[in-house]
């Protein structure tokens, strides 16, 4: 008698199953088995499943096992490139080997991750570099391109990820020549796509998925018709990613890339067209003038506020005219080569985007400007993505699976399913197998000022100081703003010096995130002060992290132009924007931050939330009930006793 599909999965995950035999230290978890069975059912029925699985459930194996056993073509999309690499290089081979199934796999990234022979050749011929280091990096990339099978820049550790040389040695959606490229046959991007088309399991990331599907590039959009299932890991990130790609952007980076590429192509194919250089210089100047007309600090400005600045409005008008002149000049040279023709089409496209952004705002859209230290970005995005995403689900029957540790608010998925248009989805929730009641303590100190009080950050440091001493360092202090983060770091440094304590004090920005985390783990008693970029995707197991301090409930600032527009949009529909949008987002974000604390069955720690609204406001209960079931206290003595019960060796 043959086993049912559920019994098959039970056997694979069981104490004597394939995973147990192949993976040292593997232990069966009931939550993992049930999640795998629910995913297996969705794969068989080509249905929608939204599944939350608490930290430690082992959700990666819970979807990989049924996906590999399904016999169909599956696209798996992860939140970041790092997770994508880990899934493809570590988790997928481990499960495939354990199951002994003849399944082919492929890794597909955005084109900017692969060396482009055409642009590398152009950059080497151009010979204009900002530094000797750039020259050295470019030559390393050239040597790598000759021997690499994949051309994936992640394989070349000798050239830093943020090295300027990569920009000259890779292509973008805009400047790729496609089939017109003379080196199309050797193209690494096309090779990766061909491999993905023939593979059973394809690993992508959310940005690539939405960029390709929405813009109908040759990649994921080409894979979708043939696939039987799409699995989104870290699915809580999808609403933000989808909003970005369902909209439209125009950045100063795109403008400057066009200028750089036009000069390179002009040198190669239009040396007798001297008017191109001043036309390019005019676009470069207009782009920089537009940035100078905006605030110097990184900020988000509503369309109305930005356009009200006469200097910015005039700068955009000048930019449009200069782009128009460059487009006309490029049109006269376009027939002289594929590169020049590509630059002409890009100039026209950027010109059209700028015209759309400055025109009347379409219904249901929000426009805003994002400023960075030396650049800016004009954005337009839909306020409601449900209907647009619903259209992606139609067509060929396939399973769509959305999973994360943070999708529900107190086991309620309605916020997520409504936002994503997943009305017909089955939802399921599995708690973490960790014993939070024994392993963790939630501490909300009494007597703290309101989070909008100017004295709040100082009060957070004051309240956290005895807890840091009790935990003997080993702490993350996470802040909702960069200003509060920097102020807290100053105050802590003064405290450390005055008290003569020698816990290493680390600050976000002193190195890359991976470098800081490596130092934190290695030191064993460090205190890291950081902002929301450390709230998710960070895994520190063991005693090195025993305290997580969060300064405020992570509500988005009410003056954020996108949030303000969304609140207005929801209010017009008669909805309660706070309860239906702001509160669920804050609760899910807080769950992510809290999730840094307990990463293993033997971890112990304290989660300290320094926001009195968690206790004083009626909605506070809904938020803390969404957190894992830790013991709760407002007494410092309970915290010191908790740490004293497990002294550091």
């Amino acid at each position: 008698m043959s086993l049912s599909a559920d019994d098959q999965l039970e056997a694979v995950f069981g104490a004597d199953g394939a995973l147990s035999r192949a993976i040292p230290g593997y232990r069966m978890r009931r939550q993992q088995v049930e999640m795998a069975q629910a995913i297996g059912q969705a794969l068989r029925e080509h249905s929608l499943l939204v599944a939350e699985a608490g930290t430690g459930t082992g959700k990666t194996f819970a979807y990989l096992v049924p996906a590999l056993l399904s016999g169909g073509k599956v696209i798996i999309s992860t939140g970041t490139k790092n997770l994508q690499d880990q899934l493809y290089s570590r988790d997928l081979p481990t499960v495939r080997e354990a199951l002994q199934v003849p399944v082919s796999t492929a890794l597909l990234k955005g084109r900017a991750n692969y060396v482009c022979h055409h642009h590398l050749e152009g950059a080497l011929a151009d010979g204009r570099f900002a530094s000797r280091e750039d020259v050295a990096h470019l030559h390393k990339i050239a040597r790598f391109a000759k021997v690499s099978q994949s051309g994936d820049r992640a394989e070349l550790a000798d050239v830093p990820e943020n090295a300027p040389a990569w920009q000259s040695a890779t292509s973008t959606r805009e400047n790729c020549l496609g089939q017109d490229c003379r080196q199309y046959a050797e193209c690494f991007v096309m090779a990766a796509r061909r491999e993905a088309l023939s593979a059973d399991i394809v690993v992508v990331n959310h940005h690539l998925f939405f960029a390709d599907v929405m813009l109908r590039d040759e990649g994921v959009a080409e894979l979708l018709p043939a696939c039987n299932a799409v699995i989104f890991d870290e699915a809580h990130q999808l609403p933000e990613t989808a909003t970005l790609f369902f909209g439209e952007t125009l950045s100063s980076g795109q403008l400057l890339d066009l200028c750089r590429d036009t000069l390179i192509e002009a040198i190669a194919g239009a040396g007798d067209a001297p008017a191109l250089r001043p036309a390019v210089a005019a676009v470069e100047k207009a782009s920089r003038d537009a940035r100078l007309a905006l605030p110097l600090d990184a900020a988000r400005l509503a369309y109305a506020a930005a356009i009200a600045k006469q200097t910015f409005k005039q700068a955009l008008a000048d930019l449009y005219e200069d782009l128009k002149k460059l487009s006309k000049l490029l049109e006269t040279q376009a027939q002289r080569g594929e590169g020049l023709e590509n630059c002409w089409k890009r100039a026209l496209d950027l010109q059209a985007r700028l015209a759309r952004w400055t025109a009347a705002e379409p219904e249901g859209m929000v426009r805003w400007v994002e400023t960075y230290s030396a650049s800016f970005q004009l954005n337009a995005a839909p306020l409601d993505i449900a209907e647009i995403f619903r259209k992606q689900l139609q067509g060929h029957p396939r399973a769509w699976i959305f999973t994360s540790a943070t999708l529900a608010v107190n086991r309620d998925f309605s916020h997520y399913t409504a936002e994503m248009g997943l009305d017909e989805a089955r939802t399921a929730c599995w708690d973490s197998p960790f014993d939070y009641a024994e392993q963790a303590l939630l501490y909300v100190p009494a007597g703290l000022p309101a989070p909008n009080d100017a004295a709040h950050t100082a009060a957070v440091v004051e309240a956290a100081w005895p807890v840091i001493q009790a935990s003997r360092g080993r702490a993350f202090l996470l802040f909702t703003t960069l200003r509060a983060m920097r102020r807290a770091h100053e105050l802590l440094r003064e405290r450390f010096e005055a008290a003569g304590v020698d816990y290493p004090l680390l600050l976000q920005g002193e190195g890359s995130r991976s470098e800081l985390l490596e130092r934190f783990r290695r030191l064993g008693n460090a205190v890291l002060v950081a902002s929301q970029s450390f709230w998710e995707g960070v895994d520190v197991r063991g005693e090195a992290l025993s305290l997580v301090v969060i300064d405020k409930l992570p509500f988005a600032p009410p003056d954020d132009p996108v949030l303000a527009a969304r609140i207005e949009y929801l209010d017009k529909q008669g909805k309660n924007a706070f309860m239906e949008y702001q509160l669920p987002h804050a609760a899910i974000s807080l769950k992510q931050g809290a999730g840094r604390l307990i990463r293993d069955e033997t971890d112990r720690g304290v989660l300290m939330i320094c926001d009195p609204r968690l206790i004083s406001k009626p909605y506070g209960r809904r938020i803390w009930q969404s957190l894992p079931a830790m013991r709760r206290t407002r007494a410092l003595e309970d915290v010191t006793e908790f740490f004293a019960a497990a002294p550091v060796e």
Side-chain angles (χ1 to χ4, degrees), residues 70-361:
S70 70
K73 188 178 185 78
V74 181
I75 297 175
I76 301 172
S77 182
T78 67
T80 63
K81 283 186 288 186
N82 285 344
L83 281 170
Q84 191 184 358
D85 285 332
Q86 177 185 307
L87 181 64
Y88 181 75
S89 305
R90 194 182 74 188
D91 300 331
L92 194 45
T94 299
V95 175
R96 182 173 61 179
E97 198 172 315
L99 297 177
Q100 295 289 298
V101 285
V103 170
S104 58
T105 65
L107 179 69
L108 187 60
K109 298 181 181 179
R111 68 173 75 249
N113 293 278
Y114 301 95
V115 177
C116 169
H117 295 297
H118 172 75
H119 287 96
L120 176 60
E121 190 179 277
L124 290 166
D126 178 40
R128 291 180 306 154
F129 303 104
S131 68
R132 287 184 178 180
E133 189 177 43
D134 288 350
V135 180
H137 285 159
L138 208 62
H139 283 289
K140 280 182 181 176
I141 294 169
R143 288 194 293 274
F144 168 71
K146 286 177 181 171
V147 297
S148 174
Q149 292 292 308
S150 70
D152 184 346
R153 57 194 274 181
E155 294 174 9
L156 182 57
D158 283 358
V159 178
E161 197 177 328
N162 59 354
W166 282 119
Q167 207 172 358
S168 303
T170 54
S171 69
T172 62
R173 187 181 310 280
E174 290 83 10
N175 69 18
C176 173
L177 302 180
Q179 293 185 12
D180 293 330
C181 182
R182 284 176 290 115
Q183 307 201 51
Y184 184 77
E186 292 81 44
C187 178
F188 288 123
V189 175
M190 290 303 123
R193 288 177 173 177
R194 283 193 298 273
E195 196 176 331
L197 277 171
S198 63
D200 300 309
I201 308 284
V202 185
V203 182
V204 301
N205 61 65
H206 300 341
H207 277 77
L208 174 66
F209 184 91
F210 283 105
D212 271 10
V213 168
M214 287 312 296
L215 299 170
R216 287 289 179 260
D217 197 5
E218 304 147 23
V220 176
E222 208 177 343
L223 290 171
L224 269 175
C227 92
N228 304 97
V230 180
I231 299 173
F232 292 106
D233 198 349
E234 300 298 317
H236 64 278
Q237 297 174 3
L238 290 181
E240 192 174 333
T241 308
T243 299
L244 182 69
F245 286 106
F246 292 165
E248 189 172 70
T249 62
L250 168 61
S251 69
S252 54
Q254 290 170 317
L255 292 162
L256 296 176
D257 284 351
L258 169 66
C259 292
R260 182 199 65 205
D261 293 342
T262 299
L263 286 178
I264 290 172
E265 297 297 344
I267 290 166
D272 57 351
L276 273 174
R277 279 185 180 276
V280 165
V283 172
E284 284 181 331
K285 181 180 183 302
S287 176
R288 293 195 169 100
D289 286 348
R291 176 63 189 92
L292 291 170
L294 294 164
L296 292 177
D297 295 333
R300 271 183 161 194
L301 294 173
Y303 171 83
I307 221 76
K309 297 175 185 293
Q310 196 53 43
T311 49
F312 183 62
K313 189 175 182 179
Q314 187 57 51
L316 290 186
D318 293 344
L319 177 59
Y320 181 82
E321 289 305 317
D322 290 329
L323 260 176
K324 195 173 173 182
K325 287 173 190 170
L326 179 59
S327 300
K328 285 184 175 175
L329 267 173
L330 281 166
E331 185 178 9
T332 66
Q333 305 299 316
Q335 75 281 5
R336 302 180 73 168
E338 300 91 346
L340 284 163
E341 184 181 1
N342 174 265
C343 288
W344 169 50
K345 288 176 180 174
R346 286 162 63 193
L348 285 174
D349 176 55
L350 293 173
Q351 188 185 323
R353 286 195 215 183
L354 183 53
R356 283 193 293 272
W357 195 83
T358 49
E361 186 162 276

Side-chain angles (χ1 to χ4, degrees), residues 15-38:
D16 300 316
L19 295 180
S20 181
R21 290 194 299 271
I23 302 166
Y26 172 83
R27 283 202 299 183
M28 180 183 175
R29 303 179 187 108
R30 175 48 47 193
Q31 296 94 327
Q32 188 179 46
V33 178
E34 290 176 5
M35 184 180 178
Q37 289 169 337

